[in-house]
Amino acid sequence: MDLITPTTTLAIFFSLIMSIIKPARPNNHKDMKHTLMLMFMLSMIPLNTLLNYNNELTMTISPLILTQTENINISILLDTLSLMFIPMALFITWSITEFSIWYMSSDPNISKFIKYLTTFLITMIIIITANNVYLLFIGWEGVGIMSFLLIGWWNSRSNANTAALQAIIYNRVGDVGLIFTITWSLTFSSANFQELLIQYELPNITPTIGLMAAAVGKSAQFSLHPWLPAAMEGPTPVSALLHSSTMVMAGVFLLIRLYPILHNNNTMKLTCLILGAVTTMFAATAAITQHDIKKIIALSTTSQLGLMMTMLGLNQPTLAFLHMTIHSFFKALLFLCSGSFIHNLNNEQDLRMMGNLINTMPMTSSSVIIASLSLMGMPFLSGFYSKDTMIETMMSSHMNTWALTITLIATALSASYSMQIILFVLTGPPRTNPVYHKETKNTIYPLMRLTLMSIFIGYMTKLSTLQPTTTMTMPLVTKLMALLMMTLGIILSKDLFSISLPMPPKKSQTINLFFNQLAFFNIPHRAVSFKTLKSAQQVSTELMDLWTLENYGPKGLSKSLTHLILLSTQQKNMIKNYMTTFTFTLLILLILTST
């Protein structure tokens, strides 16, 4: 039984690599869809073994590089986190790849695009199965490079190039933190995770700061968040994969994997709690002010990542992982539905220009309704099982009244913007001329699969993983608080919908503009760059030209000659003295020459 898990995992990994490196054929991208489907079915075998026996395996090969202090080798860890994440990532990538075949059909490089998506998946699998810091770093940099290539896929557009650069630069800020932690672990501990995590009894602030910086950059937490909405310049399948099972999940996954390092460090847990709560609230508020459907869904991802970070701050890494897994399905579904709408409306992304699509695209409309309700936390859809549990966990904690209040407000706002998507896109008269695309099987099948998982994955997870626990009692109002806030958000969205529809031509209010511009976006992108340019201009012109060059150039030279001029100037208007001096000098000169 112990051989099944490593064998199937290696088979999945090498099959994906072989599908990438084999030479391109006309229908090569269609073969990838079948490969991913087969790999997903294969990945269910180790998951079944895990659920039955709850075992954990480590595979290590002989050292590749031998040094005096550390042996560098390839080591893979197969535990609950990795064996649950792999099938989820394969299932979502399978659905996104099938959707991409339709969405990118007019692109001449579609085979290359599908290979890039699969490479993106492989680098994420390396992160989740890595058992030492070397493999982790390879996967970490791999997802960064692939995100750069995929976000800038349409590189003839300047916005796409800017967004790709923005993503890689913001992540580089976080990568400094990861490199810092890796250096610390190699110096004071070990490269292997088992040996590294044994030392968690002694809390150390040094590696946790690096881990936090890495997670903030990769998972787009507040202060390093502007790259995530900007990444919407890439093709919609890229956005779906980026936000559901790769890239942005890597930061939170890193903290979950190495959580024992944070476990006894109350300062870092408090930082996680505050940062997560602020990110959740801010991203939800910013999503309310946006009108681009993809940016709203992107900010929704940031908000949910903040919720996962809050759970890490409350010492609940398993709950954060549960929400990460469940959230991936309905977030991928939301992006694919938005891609279908955008394609149908001739690349129109503004919500206010959509309408009445429930009649022209009934299957996609049904999927987006289910995905939005699941995101809100509607009872008995999959999002309810993680979101409701997280809010109940926050209520039973003693340290977070402030964070709980912010999270409840963010819950209402998330219900509001999700309902706004439904109202704007599906109801009312058509507000633009659609280019009717028939809902083909390439569109419907991936959406149907993800819709079914958005309905049932929460219930299946509850049945398979939650053991009988002590019944927790709480007042009815407390128990229903998440549902009440969701209802409040839906009511609010109806009012916002009525206000937004006439679209009066007026200047945005300051607070609206503040969130619409993503607030902190202005500081690194505009304020800092403007101040830097201004100060550089002042240094180069005023300091260098007007002061340094003047004082040490002509003025400096004239000042250095002033004393000599004063010494040599005897013009006192005393003509008798001048004549006497001249006569005596002339006589002395004649005497000296005659002798």
Side-chain angles (χ1 to χ4, degrees):
M1 186 64 71
D2 288 340
L3 288 174
I4 295 174
T5 301
T7 308
T8 49
T9 306
L10 287 176
I12 290 166
F13 191 74
F14 286 118
S15 299
L16 292 174
I17 291 176
M18 289 302 295
S19 64
I20 288 174
I21 62 176
K22 71 179 181 182
R25 298 199 318 271
N27 289 323
N28 199 17
H29 55 277
K30 294 182 180 177
D31 296 340
M32 189 69 77
K33 173 183 73 174
H34 302 300
T35 303
L36 287 166
M37 178 182 68
L38 186 62
M39 293 305 105
F40 163 68
M41 293 176 178
L42 199 60
S43 69
M44 298 302 287
I45 299 171
L47 180 61
N48 184 45
T49 309
L50 170 78
L51 294 176
N52 286 327
Y53 298 100
N54 197 24
N55 53 359
E56 180 180 318
L57 293 170
T58 305
M59 289 191 294
T60 307
I61 66 169
S62 301
L64 300 175
I65 301 172
L66 295 173
T67 64
Q68 292 182 349
T69 55
E70 192 76 49
N71 294 334
I72 300 173
N73 55 20
I74 295 175
S75 183
I76 295 175
L77 176 62
L78 300 174
D79 61 347
T80 307
L81 298 180
S82 53
L83 290 178
M84 283 188 70
F85 202 99
I86 289 173
M88 180 267 289
L90 284 167
F91 182 87
I92 290 172
T93 312
W94 166 34
S95 301
I96 291 171
T97 303
E98 187 171 351
F99 184 85
S100 302
I101 293 169
W102 169 76
Y103 191 84
M104 305 289 289
S105 57
S106 60
D107 196 302
N109 296 318
I110 182 170
S111 295
K112 184 179 177 183
F113 179 78
I114 300 294
K115 285 187 177 185
Y116 277 10
L117 287 182
T118 313
T119 311
F120 206 2
L121 170 69
I122 290 172
T123 51
M124 189 63 194
I125 290 176
I126 291 172
I127 290 177
I128 61 179
T129 56
N131 192 34
N132 57 35
V133 294
Y134 304 114
L135 270 182
L136 176 71
F137 189 68
I138 290 169
W140 190 268
E141 292 302 310
V143 292
I145 293 165
M146 294 314 300
S147 68
F148 173 76
L149 293 173
L150 285 166
I151 292 168
W153 178 258
W154 289 321
N155 49 34
S156 59
R157 294 163 54 187
S158 60
N159 284 348
N161 290 328
T162 306
L165 280 171
Q166 205 170 311
I168 202 86
I169 291 166
Y170 271 101
N171 279 285
R172 181 58 55 200
V173 176
D175 292 352
V176 172
L178 183 66
I179 295 167
F180 182 71
T181 302
I182 289 173
T183 308
W184 176 88
S185 65
L186 293 176
T187 308
F188 298 104
S189 183
S190 170
N192 293 320
F193 285 164
Q194 278 86 2
E195 298 166 11
L196 179 63
L197 298 180
I198 284 172
Q199 303 173 350
Y200 70 85
E201 288 86 357
L202 302 171
N204 195 319
I205 198 76
T206 309
T208 53
I209 291 173
L211 290 177
M212 280 295 297
V216 167
K218 194 69 81 177
S219 289
Q221 297 298 294
F222 185 75
S223 73
L224 292 179
H225 64 275
W227 73 267
L228 198 57
M232 296 302 97
E233 291 296 331
T236 304
V238 174
S239 305
L241 193 60
L242 187 81
H243 287 252
S244 59
S245 54
T246 56
M247 189 65 175
V248 295
M249 297 300 167
V252 175
F253 187 87
L254 175 71
L255 292 183
I256 295 171
R257 169 68 82 200
L258 299 178
Y259 191 75
I261 297 178
L262 277 77
H263 180 67
N264 285 335
N265 196 325
N266 291 328
T267 306
M268 295 315 293
K269 285 198 290 187
L270 182 63
T271 307
C272 275
L273 182 70
I274 294 170
L275 190 65
V278 169
T279 305
T280 304
M281 176 66 184
F282 169 77
T285 312
I288 289 284
T289 66
Q290 296 286 339
H291 295 296
D292 185 325
I293 184 170
K294 285 176 69 176
K295 284 193 176 179
I296 292 173
I297 303 171
L299 286 164
S300 161
T301 304
T302 310
S303 182
Q304 301 304 310
L305 289 166
L307 208 52
M308 296 172 208
M309 192 70 84
T310 308
M311 284 299 103
L312 290 169
L314 289 177
N315 205 17
Q316 297 287 341
T318 312
L319 200 51
F321 181 72
L322 173 69
H323 189 57
M324 179 195 296
T325 310
I326 290 174
H327 164 262
S328 298
F329 289 100
F330 56 77
K331 189 48 58 77
L333 178 58
L334 274 172
F335 270 112
L336 295 191
C337 289
S338 70
S340 184
F341 290 141
I342 291 164
H343 225 49
N344 196 58
L345 295 174
N346 202 15
N347 298 324
E348 179 59 65
Q349 294 184 202
D350 195 324
L351 277 179
R352 296 167 297 181
M353 300 302 291
M354 300 181 182
N356 199 36
L357 288 173
I358 196 165
N359 293 321
T360 56
M361 306 180 70
M363 287 300 296
T364 312
S365 301
S366 306
S367 297
V368 83
I369 289 170
I370 289 169
S372 297
L373 291 176
S374 187
L375 174 61
M376 292 181 204
M378 181 65 72
F380 310 115
L381 290 178
S382 62
F384 167 77
Y385 289 97
S386 57
K387 204 166 184 178
D388 201 73
T389 312
M390 285 192 287
I391 291 172
E392 285 181 14
T393 306
M394 295 181 79
M395 287 181 176
S396 59
S397 171
H398 62 84
M399 61 182 285
N400 63 336
T401 307
W402 171 82
L404 173 63
T405 307
I406 283 187
T407 307
L408 286 173
I409 295 170
T411 304
L413 292 174
S414 65
S416 180
Y417 62 69
S418 300
M419 198 67 197
Q420 270 196 294
I421 291 175
I422 294 173
L423 292 172
F424 272 109
V425 176
L426 307 182
T427 65
R431 302 179 190 94
T432 188
N433 294 323
V435 180
Y436 291 110
H437 292 286
K438 189 179 177 183
E439 291 184 317
T440 60
K441 62 181 183 180
N442 279 339
T443 334
I444 297 304
Y445 288 172
L447 296 182
M448 284 178 62
R449 283 197 297 272
L450 289 169
T451 303
L452 289 172
M453 293 303 283
S454 298
I455 297 170
F456 294 116
I457 186 65
Y459 190 66
M460 289 193 295
T461 310
K462 181 178 183 295
L463 285 179
S464 59
T465 58
L466 294 181
Q467 302 300 318
T469 54
T470 307
T471 305
M472 189 168 65
T473 58
M474 59 175 64
L476 184 62
V477 176
T478 309
K479 178 73 176 173
L480 296 176
M481 186 57 70
L483 192 61
L484 292 172
M485 296 306 288
M486 185 188 75
T487 310
L488 179 66
I490 292 172
I491 295 168
L492 175 66
S493 73
K494 191 72 177 72
D495 291 340
L496 283 172
F497 177 66
S498 304
I499 295 167
S500 302
L501 257 190
M503 292 186 291
K506 61 179 182 179
K507 189 178 178 181
S508 295
Q509 296 176 357
T510 306
I511 187 71
N512 193 7
L513 198 64
F514 175 78
F515 283 107
N516 198 284
Q517 295 295 331
L518 300 181
F520 204 75
F521 178 88
N522 287 324
I523 297 173
H525 286 274
R526 292 178 188 162
V528 172
S529 55
F530 179 75
K531 292 291 183 188
T532 307
L533 187 62
K534 186 71 176 172
S535 58
Q537 184 183 15
Q538 287 175 339
V539 166
S540 62
T541 57
E542 297 176 15
L543 188 65
M544 294 290 291
D545 292 349
L546 301 180
W547 184 73
T548 310
L549 293 177
E550 281 290 322
N551 282 344
Y552 292 99
K555 285 184 180 178
L557 288 172
S558 65
K559 286 178 181 176
S560 66
L561 293 172
T562 303
H563 302 293
L564 295 174
I565 293 169
L566 289 174
L567 286 173
S568 62
T569 301
Q570 298 297 328
Q571 305 293 337
K572 303 294 184 183
N573 295 328
M574 298 178 181
I575 191 67
K576 292 181 181 179
N577 292 345
Y578 299 156
M579 290 304 292
T580 307
T581 306
F582 175 72
T583 306
F584 275 114
T585 307
L586 188 60
L587 285 173
I588 292 169
L589 184 62
L590 289 171
I591 293 167
L592 288 174
T593 53
S594 63
T595 56

mmCIF file of all heavy atoms in Angstrom, residues 417-444:
data_model
loop_
_atom_site.group_PDB
_atom_site.id
_atom_site.type_symbol
_atom_site.label_atom_id
_atom_site.label_comp_id
_atom_site.label_asym_id
_atom_site.label_seq_id
_atom_site.Cartn_x
_atom_site.Cartn_y
_atom_site.Cartn_z
ATOM 1 N N TYR A 417 -21.025 42.744 -3.634
ATOM 2 C CA TYR A 417 -20.451 42.789 -4.983
ATOM 3 C C TYR A 417 -20.764 41.521 -5.777
ATOM 4 O O TYR A 417 -20.866 41.562 -7.002
ATOM 5 C CB TYR A 417 -18.960 43.122 -4.984
ATOM 6 C CG TYR A 417 -18.024 42.160 -4.297
ATOM 7 C CD1 TYR A 417 -17.777 40.901 -4.807
ATOM 8 C CD2 TYR A 417 -17.330 42.538 -3.149
ATOM 9 C CE1 TYR A 417 -16.895 40.029 -4.189
ATOM 10 C CE2 TYR A 417 -16.447 41.689 -2.532
ATOM 11 C CZ TYR A 417 -16.239 40.433 -3.049
ATOM 12 O OH TYR A 417 -15.367 39.573 -2.446
ATOM 13 N N SER A 418 -20.922 40.384 -5.098
ATOM 14 C CA SER A 418 -21.317 39.163 -5.815
ATOM 15 C C SER A 418 -22.718 39.308 -6.387
ATOM 16 O O SER A 418 -22.990 38.907 -7.523
ATOM 17 C CB SER A 418 -21.268 37.956 -4.873
ATOM 18 O OG SER A 418 -19.971 37.772 -4.366
ATOM 19 N N MET A 419 -23.617 39.915 -5.583
ATOM 20 C CA MET A 419 -24.988 40.112 -6.059
ATOM 21 C C MET A 419 -25.015 41.157 -7.169
ATOM 22 O O MET A 419 -25.828 41.061 -8.106
ATOM 23 C CB MET A 419 -25.865 40.558 -4.891
ATOM 24 C CG MET A 419 -27.349 40.374 -5.146
ATOM 25 S SD MET A 419 -27.739 38.618 -5.254
ATOM 26 C CE MET A 419 -29.337 38.697 -6.049
ATOM 27 N N GLN A 420 -24.137 42.144 -7.088
ATOM 28 C CA GLN A 420 -24.082 43.157 -8.156
ATOM 29 C C GLN A 420 -23.714 42.532 -9.499
ATOM 30 O O GLN A 420 -24.258 42.916 -10.541
ATOM 31 C CB GLN A 420 -23.072 44.241 -7.796
ATOM 32 C CG GLN A 420 -23.686 45.391 -7.020
ATOM 33 C CD GLN A 420 -22.774 46.591 -7.013
ATOM 34 O OE1 GLN A 420 -21.702 46.547 -6.437
ATOM 35 N NE2 GLN A 420 -23.192 47.655 -7.651
ATOM 36 N N ILE A 421 -22.798 41.571 -9.483
ATOM 37 C CA ILE A 421 -22.437 40.874 -10.726
ATOM 38 C C ILE A 421 -23.670 40.203 -11.321
ATOM 39 O O ILE A 421 -23.953 40.318 -12.519
ATOM 40 C CB ILE A 421 -21.314 39.838 -10.462
ATOM 41 C CG1 ILE A 421 -20.001 40.548 -10.130
ATOM 42 C CG2 ILE A 421 -21.121 38.925 -11.664
ATOM 43 C CD1 ILE A 421 -18.872 39.623 -9.738
ATOM 44 N N ILE A 422 -24.437 39.514 -10.457
ATOM 45 C CA ILE A 422 -25.637 38.818 -10.936
ATOM 46 C C ILE A 422 -26.638 39.819 -11.510
ATOM 47 O O ILE A 422 -27.184 39.634 -12.606
ATOM 48 C CB ILE A 422 -26.278 38.006 -9.782
ATOM 49 C CG1 ILE A 422 -25.334 36.880 -9.351
ATOM 50 C CG2 ILE A 422 -27.627 37.435 -10.205
ATOM 51 C CD1 ILE A 422 -25.797 36.125 -8.116
ATOM 52 N N LEU A 423 -26.877 40.921 -10.787
ATOM 53 C CA LEU A 423 -27.893 41.888 -11.221
ATOM 54 C C LEU A 423 -27.489 42.595 -12.512
ATOM 55 O O LEU A 423 -28.293 42.750 -13.439
ATOM 56 C CB LEU A 423 -28.134 42.916 -10.110
ATOM 57 C CG LEU A 423 -28.809 42.396 -8.842
ATOM 58 C CD1 LEU A 423 -28.816 43.462 -7.760
ATOM 59 C CD2 LEU A 423 -30.230 41.932 -9.121
ATOM 60 N N PHE A 424 -26.248 43.039 -12.578
ATOM 61 C CA PHE A 424 -25.802 43.781 -13.760
ATOM 62 C C PHE A 424 -25.760 42.898 -15.005
ATOM 63 O O PHE A 424 -26.176 43.307 -16.086
ATOM 64 C CB PHE A 424 -24.410 44.377 -13.523
ATOM 65 C CG PHE A 424 -24.428 45.731 -12.887
ATOM 66 C CD1 PHE A 424 -24.025 45.909 -11.567
ATOM 67 C CD2 PHE A 424 -24.838 46.834 -13.603
ATOM 68 C CE1 PHE A 424 -24.043 47.155 -10.986
ATOM 69 C CE2 PHE A 424 -24.853 48.098 -13.026
ATOM 70 C CZ PHE A 424 -24.468 48.254 -11.708
ATOM 71 N N VAL A 425 -25.211 41.689 -14.850
ATOM 72 C CA VAL A 425 -24.948 40.849 -16.014
ATOM 73 C C VAL A 425 -26.217 40.168 -16.524
ATOM 74 O O VAL A 425 -26.435 40.079 -17.736
ATOM 75 C CB VAL A 425 -23.875 39.788 -15.680
ATOM 76 C CG1 VAL A 425 -23.664 38.838 -16.850
ATOM 77 C CG2 VAL A 425 -22.566 40.452 -15.314
ATOM 78 N N LEU A 426 -27.058 39.712 -15.612
ATOM 79 C CA LEU A 426 -28.148 38.833 -16.025
ATOM 80 C C LEU A 426 -29.488 39.521 -16.188
ATOM 81 O O LEU A 426 -30.353 39.031 -16.912
ATOM 82 C CB LEU A 426 -28.292 37.685 -15.006
ATOM 83 C CG LEU A 426 -27.012 36.887 -14.713
ATOM 84 C CD1 LEU A 426 -27.313 35.764 -13.743
ATOM 85 C CD2 LEU A 426 -26.401 36.349 -15.983
ATOM 86 N N THR A 427 -29.709 40.638 -15.490
ATOM 87 C CA THR A 427 -31.045 41.244 -15.499
ATOM 88 C C THR A 427 -31.054 42.518 -16.341
ATOM 89 O O THR A 427 -30.022 43.005 -16.782
ATOM 90 C CB THR A 427 -31.491 41.571 -14.065
ATOM 91 O OG1 THR A 427 -30.607 42.581 -13.530
ATOM 92 C CG2 THR A 427 -31.451 40.350 -13.185
ATOM 93 N N GLY A 428 -32.237 43.054 -16.520
ATOM 94 C CA GLY A 428 -32.386 44.319 -17.238
ATOM 95 C C GLY A 428 -32.289 44.142 -18.744
ATOM 96 O O GLY A 428 -32.099 43.032 -19.254
ATOM 97 N N PRO A 429 -32.390 45.230 -19.465
ATOM 98 C CA PRO A 429 -32.302 45.156 -20.934
ATOM 99 C C PRO A 429 -30.853 45.010 -21.375
ATOM 100 O O PRO A 429 -29.931 45.353 -20.644
ATOM 101 C CB PRO A 429 -32.856 46.519 -21.370
ATOM 102 C CG PRO A 429 -32.536 47.425 -20.224
ATOM 103 C CD PRO A 429 -32.617 46.602 -18.986
ATOM 104 N N PRO A 430 -30.622 44.499 -22.604
ATOM 105 C CA PRO A 430 -29.241 44.462 -23.120
ATOM 106 C C PRO A 430 -28.714 45.876 -23.348
ATOM 107 O O PRO A 430 -29.420 46.718 -23.901
ATOM 108 C CB PRO A 430 -29.365 43.697 -24.447
ATOM 109 C CG PRO A 430 -30.802 43.525 -24.712
ATOM 110 C CD PRO A 430 -31.585 43.917 -23.517
ATOM 111 N N ARG A 431 -27.506 46.154 -22.871
ATOM 112 C CA ARG A 431 -26.960 47.504 -22.966
ATOM 113 C C ARG A 431 -25.834 47.610 -23.981
ATOM 114 O O ARG A 431 -25.179 48.628 -24.071
ATOM 115 C CB ARG A 431 -26.472 47.951 -21.586
ATOM 116 C CG ARG A 431 -27.582 47.918 -20.543
ATOM 117 C CD ARG A 431 -27.111 48.341 -19.176
ATOM 118 N NE ARG A 431 -28.142 48.058 -18.183
ATOM 119 C CZ ARG A 431 -28.192 46.948 -17.455
ATOM 120 N NH1 ARG A 431 -27.270 46.031 -17.603
ATOM 121 N NH2 ARG A 431 -29.168 46.754 -16.584
ATOM 122 N N THR A 432 -25.537 46.532 -24.683
ATOM 123 C CA THR A 432 -24.536 46.565 -25.742
ATOM 124 C C THR A 432 -24.917 45.540 -26.800
ATOM 125 O O THR A 432 -25.711 44.641 -26.523
ATOM 126 C CB THR A 432 -23.124 46.279 -25.196
ATOM 127 O OG1 THR A 432 -22.171 46.496 -26.214
ATOM 128 C CG2 THR A 432 -22.998 44.856 -24.703
ATOM 129 N N ASN A 433 -24.382 45.664 -27.988
ATOM 130 C CA ASN A 433 -24.715 44.712 -29.051
ATOM 131 C C ASN A 433 -23.887 43.444 -28.892
ATOM 132 O O ASN A 433 -22.664 43.468 -29.071
ATOM 133 C CB ASN A 433 -24.433 45.335 -30.431
ATOM 134 C CG ASN A 433 -25.346 46.510 -30.710
ATOM 135 O OD1 ASN A 433 -26.517 46.476 -30.324
ATOM 136 N ND2 ASN A 433 -24.821 47.534 -31.362
ATOM 137 N N PRO A 434 -24.537 42.333 -28.535
ATOM 138 C CA PRO A 434 -23.760 41.109 -28.326
ATOM 139 C C PRO A 434 -23.364 40.445 -29.630
ATOM 140 O O PRO A 434 -24.017 40.605 -30.650
ATOM 141 C CB PRO A 434 -24.727 40.215 -27.531
ATOM 142 C CG PRO A 434 -26.078 40.687 -27.919
ATOM 143 C CD PRO A 434 -25.955 42.144 -28.245
ATOM 144 N N VAL A 435 -22.237 39.707 -29.582
ATOM 145 C CA VAL A 435 -21.848 38.843 -30.691
ATOM 146 C C VAL A 435 -22.184 37.432 -30.234
ATOM 147 O O VAL A 435 -21.455 36.845 -29.446
ATOM 148 C CB VAL A 435 -20.339 38.977 -30.991
ATOM 149 C CG1 VAL A 435 -19.947 38.072 -32.158
ATOM 150 C CG2 VAL A 435 -19.990 40.417 -31.287
ATOM 151 N N TYR A 436 -23.313 36.929 -30.669
ATOM 152 C CA TYR A 436 -23.827 35.688 -30.084
ATOM 153 C C TYR A 436 -22.934 34.500 -30.424
ATOM 154 O O TYR A 436 -22.740 34.160 -31.583
ATOM 155 C CB TYR A 436 -25.257 35.426 -30.564
ATOM 156 C CG TYR A 436 -26.238 36.416 -30.013
ATOM 157 C CD1 TYR A 436 -26.825 37.373 -30.835
ATOM 158 C CD2 TYR A 436 -26.556 36.423 -28.662
ATOM 159 C CE1 TYR A 436 -27.711 38.311 -30.313
ATOM 160 C CE2 TYR A 436 -27.444 37.348 -28.137
ATOM 161 C CZ TYR A 436 -28.017 38.295 -28.976
ATOM 162 O OH TYR A 436 -28.880 39.205 -28.453
ATOM 163 N N HIS A 437 -22.358 33.896 -29.380
ATOM 164 C CA HIS A 437 -21.594 32.657 -29.527
ATOM 165 C C HIS A 437 -22.433 31.538 -28.925
ATOM 166 O O HIS A 437 -22.901 31.647 -27.790
ATOM 167 C CB HIS A 437 -20.254 32.742 -28.789
ATOM 168 C CG HIS A 437 -19.303 33.715 -29.397
ATOM 169 N ND1 HIS A 437 -18.637 33.475 -30.568
ATOM 170 C CD2 HIS A 437 -18.904 34.948 -28.993
ATOM 171 C CE1 HIS A 437 -17.867 34.515 -30.860
ATOM 172 N NE2 HIS A 437 -18.012 35.416 -29.917
ATOM 173 N N LYS A 438 -22.575 30.499 -29.670
ATOM 174 C CA LYS A 438 -23.336 29.366 -29.153
ATOM 175 C C LYS A 438 -22.558 28.715 -28.012
ATOM 176 O O LYS A 438 -21.337 28.566 -28.080
ATOM 177 C CB LYS A 438 -23.572 28.363 -30.282
ATOM 178 C CG LYS A 438 -24.537 27.255 -29.909
ATOM 179 C CD LYS A 438 -24.750 26.314 -31.095
ATOM 180 C CE LYS A 438 -25.668 25.166 -30.697
ATOM 181 N NZ LYS A 438 -25.829 24.200 -31.805
ATOM 182 N N GLU A 439 -23.280 28.322 -26.976
ATOM 183 C CA GLU A 439 -22.632 27.653 -25.836
ATOM 184 C C GLU A 439 -22.314 26.213 -26.234
ATOM 185 O O GLU A 439 -23.142 25.315 -26.100
ATOM 186 C CB GLU A 439 -23.546 27.703 -24.613
ATOM 187 C CG GLU A 439 -23.694 29.102 -24.046
ATOM 188 C CD GLU A 439 -24.530 29.125 -22.784
ATOM 189 O OE1 GLU A 439 -25.561 28.445 -22.735
ATOM 190 O OE2 GLU A 439 -24.149 29.818 -21.846
ATOM 191 N N THR A 440 -21.096 25.999 -26.705
ATOM 192 C CA THR A 440 -20.687 24.680 -27.185
ATOM 193 C C THR A 440 -20.252 23.806 -26.016
ATOM 194 O O THR A 440 -20.126 24.264 -24.879
ATOM 195 C CB THR A 440 -19.531 24.812 -28.183
ATOM 196 O OG1 THR A 440 -18.441 25.453 -27.520
ATOM 197 C CG2 THR A 440 -19.941 25.654 -29.378
ATOM 198 N N LYS A 441 -19.981 22.548 -26.333
ATOM 199 C CA LYS A 441 -19.594 21.609 -25.268
ATOM 200 C C LYS A 441 -18.248 21.996 -24.651
ATOM 201 O O LYS A 441 -18.007 21.739 -23.473
ATOM 202 C CB LYS A 441 -19.549 20.182 -25.806
ATOM 203 C CG LYS A 441 -18.531 19.958 -26.915
ATOM 204 C CD LYS A 441 -18.575 18.513 -27.396
ATOM 205 C CE LYS A 441 -17.513 18.269 -28.463
ATOM 206 N NZ LYS A 441 -17.546 16.864 -28.945
ATOM 207 N N ASN A 442 -17.349 22.620 -25.435
ATOM 208 C CA ASN A 442 -16.074 23.068 -24.868
ATOM 209 C C ASN A 442 -16.273 24.115 -23.782
ATOM 210 O O ASN A 442 -15.427 24.297 -22.919
ATOM 211 C CB ASN A 442 -15.184 23.648 -25.969
ATOM 212 C CG ASN A 442 -14.464 22.571 -26.745
ATOM 213 O OD1 ASN A 442 -14.311 21.464 -26.243
ATOM 214 N ND2 ASN A 442 -14.060 22.870 -27.965
ATOM 215 N N THR A 443 -17.384 24.854 -23.856
ATOM 216 C CA THR A 443 -17.683 25.846 -22.821
ATOM 217 C C THR A 443 -18.484 25.217 -21.694
ATOM 218 O O THR A 443 -18.223 25.465 -20.520
ATOM 219 C CB THR A 443 -18.540 26.986 -23.418
ATOM 220 O OG1 THR A 443 -18.305 27.083 -24.804
ATOM 221 C CG2 THR A 443 -18.217 28.298 -22.778
ATOM 222 N N ILE A 444 -19.456 24.401 -22.057
ATOM 223 C CA ILE A 444 -20.418 23.905 -21.078
ATOM 224 C C ILE A 444 -19.799 22.861 -20.149
ATOM 225 O O ILE A 444 -19.986 22.907 -18.931
ATOM 226 C CB ILE A 444 -21.660 23.322 -21.792
ATOM 227 C CG1 ILE A 444 -22.377 24.418 -22.572
ATOM 228 C CG2 ILE A 444 -22.601 22.673 -20.786
ATOM 229 C CD1 ILE A 444 -22.777 25.601 -21.732
#
